[in-house]
Amino acid sequence: MFSALALFAGVTLAVQPVEVRGPAFVNSVTGAKFQIIGVDYQPGGQSAYDPANQKDPLSDPDVCLRDAALMQNLGLNTIRIYNLDPTLDHDLCVSIFNEVGIYLILDVNAPMGGESLDRTDPKGSYHVGYLERIFGVVEAFKGYPNTLAFFGGNEVINEDSVREVPKYIRAVQRDLKNYIAKNSDRAIPVGYSAADVRDLLSSTWEYFQCAIDGDQDDQSRSDFFGLNSYSWCGPTATFETAGYDDLVDQFRNTTVPVFLSEYGCNEVKPRVFNEVGAVYGPRMTQTFSGGLVYEYSQEEADYGLVDISDDDGSIKLRTDYDNLQEQFAKLDIAELQSAEPADTADATIPECDSSLITASGFSSDFNVPPPPRGAQALIDSGIDNPNQGKLVDVSDLRVKQTVQDSTGKVIPELAIKPLPEDQNNVPSIVKGSEEKPAAGSMQSVPAMLLALAAGTAFMWCM
């Protein structure tokens, strides 16, 4: 029964790295436009980051296998992980996500002291120990082809941040990019994730996308810009009432990829996710590169797609999962991949100038601080004894935990399906068939084996 499955077990297939070209993410080999179809992933919340007990969201392969199977069925091609320990072994977890064609966007910061830039004291928190820590994240993940990008900061700028914060974020971006240039075999984009504070948003974006002194190779500027936006709330919201028309107008002339790094308002429950059609529709995709739904697992903030048992790691899908799956399945992936971004690929990056900054109290100081003492040596020679991740064989494809659909029915023999070489995951639906599994249901291992044995590019069905 599992002979076909065994053929794929132990075979490491790699996705093709994604890179930035002008205002778009593209497949580095084919040049196809890459739209982020993803979720934010931090099962267990902030407490899942536990260096004292050698735990983070990518340290338990059984958990990663369980979630990768559900994410593959959902149609995701990207996940964002907020807090990671660079000293842990992530090889098997990252390899599992690679097998199913899912990329990773990783925050380099973490919530413990000395592991992030302090919005109230950026100068005091920007030191060589902090940089050594975030360089460790680069080392741990640079070797995986499905590492898509790094966030150098997340919502550091808000109403409570001090005026000097923006230039220190640019300093962190510069240091990360210089470290990658010196110590990685490929360029990996570095950017910033902003809060949707409309009074600050335009100035934040302009501050990070501009080039100091007009230097088109300015390493301190963002390679991309993420926006955490929850303005589309409920089934009656529209492109205009959610302010998406304003966002498109605001970012129309972007010279870097822009995407929703968090979205999915939960004021109306269950969430119907009708904004998906807008996020990936023609009005948005000329400017935006997709988005990440907040969030995969049900936590205290009540945004989850799945409920995870603290006792045995079993899962029950929520109605939100079904609704999001249904919306993703409507997308025309071929059209998304072939669509051309707005005609700014050859646009000149704007030179940094105080005239770009319109928000009252927002800094127009572009004098980026130099690296702290000892940092340049780390950049030039690399950190000592880095933990460097690499892809490994994935030998077990079957999920061990019990998984129930949203009606409480157990999903039998759930497993991941390794994709052919170089493919990323996409949403799928069986079209023209009179029989389709209910939303939230999975294809079992026997059905998957038939597809593999037939040599077809099998997709999870809805």
Side-chain angles (χ1 to χ4, degrees):
M1 178 176 175
F2 294 104
S3 57
L5 197 62
L7 291 175
F8 282 83
V11 177
T12 302
L13 305 174
V15 299
Q16 293 167 335
V18 169
E19 64 185 20
V20 170
R21 293 184 193 171
F25 291 110
V26 300
N27 183 298
S28 61
V29 176
T30 67
K33 186 177 179 182
F34 182 84
Q35 284 280 326
I36 294 170
I37 304 172
V39 299
D40 299 301
Y41 180 61
Q42 193 78 19
Q46 189 167 296
S47 62
Y49 174 70
D50 186 4
N53 291 303
Q54 297 187 312
K55 290 173 54 181
D56 74 10
L58 296 179
S59 62
D60 187 334
D62 289 340
V63 169
C64 293
L65 185 68
R66 174 199 67 193
D67 296 339
L70 294 173
M71 291 175 182
Q72 184 176 32
N73 186 64
L74 189 56
L76 308 183
N77 64 21
T78 307
I79 57 174
R80 175 187 182 179
I81 302 107
Y82 293 87
N83 304 316
L84 290 159
D85 183 345
T87 68
L88 300 183
D89 182 355
H90 303 108
D91 286 350
L92 191 47
C93 269
V94 177
S95 297
I96 288 168
F97 286 112
N98 171 78
E99 291 278 345
V100 297
I102 292 178
Y103 292 86
L104 316 177
I105 299 179
L106 310 170
D107 288 66
V108 298
N109 298 294
M112 296 188 176
E115 296 181 342
S116 62
L117 202 64
D118 185 344
R119 64 170 56 93
T120 65
D121 182 23
K123 182 178 180 179
S125 55
Y126 177 63
H127 50 74
V128 69
Y130 163 66
L131 291 179
E132 185 171 17
R133 196 266 174 195
I134 65 175
F135 293 163
V137 176
V138 171
E139 290 285 358
F141 290 92
K142 69 181 185 181
Y144 305 124
N146 57 329
T147 296
L148 194 160
F150 295 111
F151 275 123
N154 177 57
E155 296 192 354
V156 188
I157 299 171
N158 61 20
E159 297 93 336
D160 300 322
S161 58
V162 298
R163 187 178 175 87
E164 295 77 20
V165 163
K167 66 181 181 180
Y168 279 94
I169 296 173
R170 285 194 70 133
V172 169
Q173 292 182 158
R174 174 203 61 207
D175 298 341
L176 283 167
K177 291 166 72 173
N178 284 336
Y179 190 91
I180 290 167
K182 288 270 190 177
N183 298 281
S184 174
D185 292 336
R186 66 180 177 98
I188 304 173
V190 175
Y192 179 70
S193 179
D196 190 5
V197 182
R198 295 295 168 101
D199 292 342
L200 302 176
L201 185 57
S202 178
S203 294
T204 304
W205 167 62
E206 293 283 14
Y207 189 94
F208 289 125
Q209 79 148 348
C210 69
I212 296 174
D213 297 326
D215 179 4
Q216 302 291 289
D217 296 319
D218 178 8
Q219 291 292 82
S220 72
R221 69 185 295 267
S222 295
D223 291 323
F224 60 87
F225 189 83
L227 172 62
N228 300 337
S229 179
Y230 296 86
S231 61
W232 188 300
C233 290
T236 62
T238 67
F239 204 85
E240 288 72 28
T241 62
Y244 277 27
D245 54 341
D246 295 331
L247 292 178
V248 169
D249 287 342
Q250 179 168 324
F251 293 107
R252 188 176 304 281
N253 296 318
T254 184
T255 58
V256 299
V258 178
F259 63 95
L260 299 177
S261 41
E262 294 177 6
Y263 76 95
C265 172
N266 68 349
E267 290 182 9
V268 180
K269 302 170 187 175
R271 295 181 288 177
V272 296
F273 293 110
N274 57 323
E275 68 264 47
V276 165
V279 171
Y280 300 97
R283 296 176 68 181
M284 287 281 278
T285 54
Q286 290 295 302
T287 303
F288 279 75
S289 295
L292 298 154
V293 169
Y294 192 84
E295 63 182 317
Y296 176 71
S297 57
Q298 177 71 351
E299 308 295 342
E300 185 176 350
D302 196 20
Y303 283 90
L305 302 176
V306 304
D307 289 310
I308 303 176
S309 168
D310 292 333
D311 296 328
D312 59 5
S314 60
I315 275 185
K316 183 178 180 181
L317 307 184
R318 297 169 64 87
T319 303
D320 287 30
Y321 179 102
D322 296 346
N323 292 342
L324 183 59
Q325 184 185 53
E326 182 178 354
Q327 295 291 345
F328 280 158
K330 298 175 183 177
L331 300 180
D332 188 331
I333 300 302
E335 181 177 338
L336 285 175
Q337 292 176 338
S338 63
E340 293 294 329
D343 188 20
T344 58
D346 297 324
T348 301
I349 300 166
E351 181 174 355
C352 295
D353 187 84
S354 60
S355 64
L356 298 173
I357 308 304
T358 58
S360 175
F362 197 100
S363 175
S364 58
D365 179 4
F366 294 99
N367 294 308
V368 178
R373 180 177 298 180
Q376 193 60 50
L378 294 180
I379 292 170
D380 291 339
S381 302
I383 63 175
D384 291 336
N385 301 314
N387 172 36
Q388 296 177 329
K390 64 182 184 303
L391 292 183
V392 296
D393 292 342
V394 178
S395 58
D396 192 350
L397 309 182
R398 285 165 286 168
V399 173
K400 296 177 174 62
Q401 302 89 339
T402 298
V403 176
Q404 297 177 323
D405 66 18
S406 58
T407 70
K409 182 180 178 181
V410 173
I411 301 166
E413 302 184 45
L414 181 61
I416 64 168
K417 192 220 60 95
L419 296 181
E421 185 83 33
D422 300 336
Q423 289 192 10
N424 61 262
N425 194 43
V426 295
S428 62
I429 188 167
V430 178
K431 296 181 179 178
S433 172
E434 294 184 359
E435 292 188 12
K436 291 183 283 189
S441 66
M442 312 290 163
Q443 284 283 18
S444 65
V445 170
M448 181 177 69
L449 294 179
L450 291 174
L452 291 173
T456 60
F458 173 88
M459 295 291 182
W460 293 116
C461 299
M462 283 192 62

